[in-house]
Amino acid sequence: MKILVVNCGSSSIKYQVFNMTDESVLAKGLVDRVGIPGTVLKHEPTGKDEVVIKKDLPDHTEGMKLVLEVLVNKEYGVIADMTEIGAVGHRVVHGGEGFAKSTIIDGKVKQVIRECFDIAPLHNPPNLMGIEACQELMPSVPHVAVFDTAFHQTMKPEYFMYALPYDVYRDYKVRRYGFHGTSHFYVSHRAAEMMGKPFEECKIITLHLGNGGSMAAIKDGRVVDTSMGFTPLEGLVMGTRSGDVDPAIVFFLMDKLNMNSDEANSYFNKKSGMLGLSGVSNDLRDIMEAAKSGNERAQLALDVYHNRIKSYIGSYIAELNGCDCIVFTAGVGENGIENREAICKDLDSLGIIMDNEKNKVRGKEVDVSAADSKVRIFIIPTNEELVIARDTFGLAK
Ligand code: ADP
């Protein structure tokens, strides 16, 4: 069976086609600037040249139509016709408390995705738009939702509850949800395989460090704790998000900078983090370059970034009562040699010792721990699309 994996953002559609016989990727691509002048589709059929198509497209349905046309194109397509696609897997960011697993999409599932618009306003509306566009164009195949929050639904209440009046949990479902669950799921399972141990017997700390970043502590096959919370704003320092701050700072700055709640939301989500602190960029590569040429604020931002991660590692080792391995993944985790080194520096008292020579690697699945490190240190490129394809295949069968 062939599976189409779709990930819709507010103005983008990412897609991949998998052949589930051997889990190979037949093609992947991206439609960018959907609904904005200058729409571009970049299609990468495996083993053939990349194709770029420029054509303004008003909405996600038109965007998906173009994707489907490209997939069956005689020259650069990868399937003869659409009947080869057995099911479609959709990435959905927020499933609320409704889903601890992926699920076939029906009216009720769409209703839950809609109910989460309030708490995931940037992600769930375009995710649902993508689902509806695909259902319209491919009405006879199963559509499956794979939620970023699902893996974290295995957390226990003593970890997901905030110390707020209980009523806000009951009435508004204010609690910690956690995100990047599909990535934490994939890399933690790969780590268990690399250690040759059953997943359920491993204590694992996963570090998904991209433009957004989150960590998870995993034990007994479930998520014990994760750094993102009610929204993806909590936790680590990110490209443009502050991560953890004293909540009193929000009210203080709303007053001082004369911001309403929308403006404050944007301030902490889009103007803070590495961008706000360094004043250089949200991209770690730019910040590292600036720091190397003597920019002190850039160096400060990097130090704050690394220290926050270190303190989460310490806290998670306490929560897990030990740790078999830590796993680096996503843009910074897979490629940031100096970042990984800075994070693991001086953690030998926790049994974490990196081999700095082995660590000089980008984007490869490898163990970079020193021979005398009690905790193994893995770099594992994430593969959220493969998890979506596998779950979709499993449910569609
Ligand atoms: P997203 O959260 O947007 O999916 P990615 O996982 O693609 O992000 O990660 C993007 C980030 O990865 C970039 O912002 C950049 O800071 C970082 N990155 C990419 N390559 C490197 C590198 N060689 N060294 C350090 N950071 C890197």
Side-chain angles (χ1 to χ4, degrees):
M1 188 189 286
K2 285 166 192 140
I3 300 284
L4 172 62
V5 172
V6 178
N7 177 1
C8 279
S10 56
S11 62
S12 68
I13 302 171
K14 287 188 197 143
Y15 63 91
Q16 284 198 23
V17 181
F18 284 85
N19 179 354
M20 296 314 286
T21 315
D22 57 359
E23 295 189 333
S24 58
V25 176
L26 300 177
K28 59 180 162 185
L30 165 72
V31 193
D32 217 356
R33 300 179 67 88
V34 177
I36 309 172
T39 315
V40 188
L41 179 145
K42 281 195 188 125
H43 174 70
E44 295 174 45
T46 305
K48 293 183 199 164
D49 290 342
E50 181 183 280
V51 178
V52 178
I53 299 174
K54 293 185 181 162
K55 179 181 180 188
D56 282 355
L57 298 167
D59 55 35
H60 286 72
T61 307
E62 292 304 313
M64 273 315 301
K65 259 190 206 163
L66 183 62
V67 171
L68 302 187
E69 275 168 35
V70 163
L71 292 180
V72 298
N73 183 282
K74 292 239 156 14
E75 204 182 315
Y76 44 76
V78 291
I79 49 176
D81 62 66
M82 284 312 295
T83 59
E84 285 189 43
I85 300 287
V88 185
H90 297 267
R91 178 192 181 207
V92 181
V93 167
H94 218 308
E97 287 192 312
F99 303 101
K101 286 207 158 71
S102 304
T103 181
I104 301 247
I105 301 170
D106 60 12
K108 275 195 202 133
V109 173
K110 285 204 275 187
Q111 186 50 31
V112 176
I113 297 171
R114 221 173 271 122
E115 281 162 12
C116 295
F117 277 13
D118 243 11
I119 46 178
L122 298 180
H123 295 104
N124 272 34
N127 293 161
L128 186 62
M129 260 191 304
I131 290 170
E132 295 195 318
C134 289
Q135 283 183 325
E136 190 185 327
L137 299 167
M138 288 168 276
S140 54
V141 298
H143 292 257
V144 170
V146 180
F147 299 95
D148 270 26
T149 45
F151 186 37
H152 300 304
Q153 280 295 307
T154 53
M155 264 192 296
K156 293 182 180 166
E158 56 267 39
Y159 287 96
F160 72 63
M161 287 300 289
Y162 292 111
L164 292 168
Y166 194 84
D167 295 3
V168 298
Y169 170 61
R170 194 191 52 213
D171 298 342
Y172 305 114
K173 294 283 173 240
V174 174
R175 50 159 285 179
R176 169 172 287 120
Y177 290 99
F179 299 88
H180 298 135
T182 314
S183 176
H184 290 292
F185 176 92
Y186 175 79
V187 299
S188 59
H189 280 79
R190 272 303 297 145
E193 280 165 21
M194 286 164 83
M195 291 190 292
K197 261 173 92 167
F199 179 62
E200 291 71 23
E201 289 171 20
C202 297
K203 295 177 179 177
I204 303 172
I205 298 175
T206 46
L207 293 81
H208 177 108
L209 308 176
N211 208 2
S214 69
M215 289 175 53
I218 297 156
K219 183 165 105 172
D220 301 331
R222 60 198 291 169
V223 175
V224 173
D225 203 355
T226 190
S227 61
M228 281 179 169
F230 180 56
T231 75
L233 180 56
E234 194 182 349
L236 307 181
V237 178
M238 301 174 228
T240 59
R241 292 177 221 155
S242 63
D244 298 335
V245 292
D246 179 343
I249 295 171
V250 182
F251 332 127
F252 179 82
L253 288 183
M254 282 172 81
D255 232 16
K256 288 282 176 208
L257 304 180
N258 197 19
M259 294 188 285
N260 62 27
S261 62
D262 279 349
E263 288 161 342
N265 197 356
S266 161
Y267 187 85
F268 284 89
N269 270 294
K270 297 189 179 148
K271 296 186 185 153
S272 302
M274 297 304 280
L275 173 67
L277 200 46
S278 70
V280 173
S281 161
N282 64 320
D283 193 301
L284 251 70
R285 287 164 291 198
D286 301 339
I287 299 169
M288 288 195 291
E289 212 177 290
K292 274 179 200 143
S293 52
N295 184 324
E296 286 178 13
R297 258 177 69 185
Q299 187 56 54
L300 174 68
L302 288 169
D303 293 343
V304 174
Y305 179 86
H306 297 139
N307 287 344
R308 179 78 52 87
I309 295 168
K310 264 180 186 302
S311 75
Y312 267 93
I313 292 176
S315 134
Y316 284 177
I317 287 184
E319 287 181 355
L320 297 176
N321 190 17
C323 177
D324 299 315
C325 70
I326 65 173
V327 185
F328 286 94
T329 195
V332 184
E334 291 166 29
N335 301 298
I337 296 169
E338 292 157 69
N339 309 100
R340 290 190 302 252
E341 190 178 321
I343 291 163
C344 291
K345 187 167 180 275
D346 296 333
L347 290 183
D348 52 307
S349 69
L350 298 179
I352 299 171
I353 308 169
M354 177 175 267
D355 181 326
N356 292 339
E357 280 309 307
K358 283 190 191 158
N359 180 49
K360 288 186 177 134
V361 62
R362 293 188 211 279
K364 289 220 175 80
E365 200 171 84
V366 31
D367 181 344
V368 297
S369 43
D372 54 346
S373 182
K374 281 200 201 115
V375 176
R376 295 178 74 180
I377 307 167
F378 293 126
I379 302 163
I380 302 182
T382 195
N383 197 342
E384 290 154 292
E385 292 78 13
L386 180 59
V387 176
I388 298 175
R390 283 178 180 165
D391 279 11
T392 304
F393 181 53
L395 284 165
K397 268 197 303 187

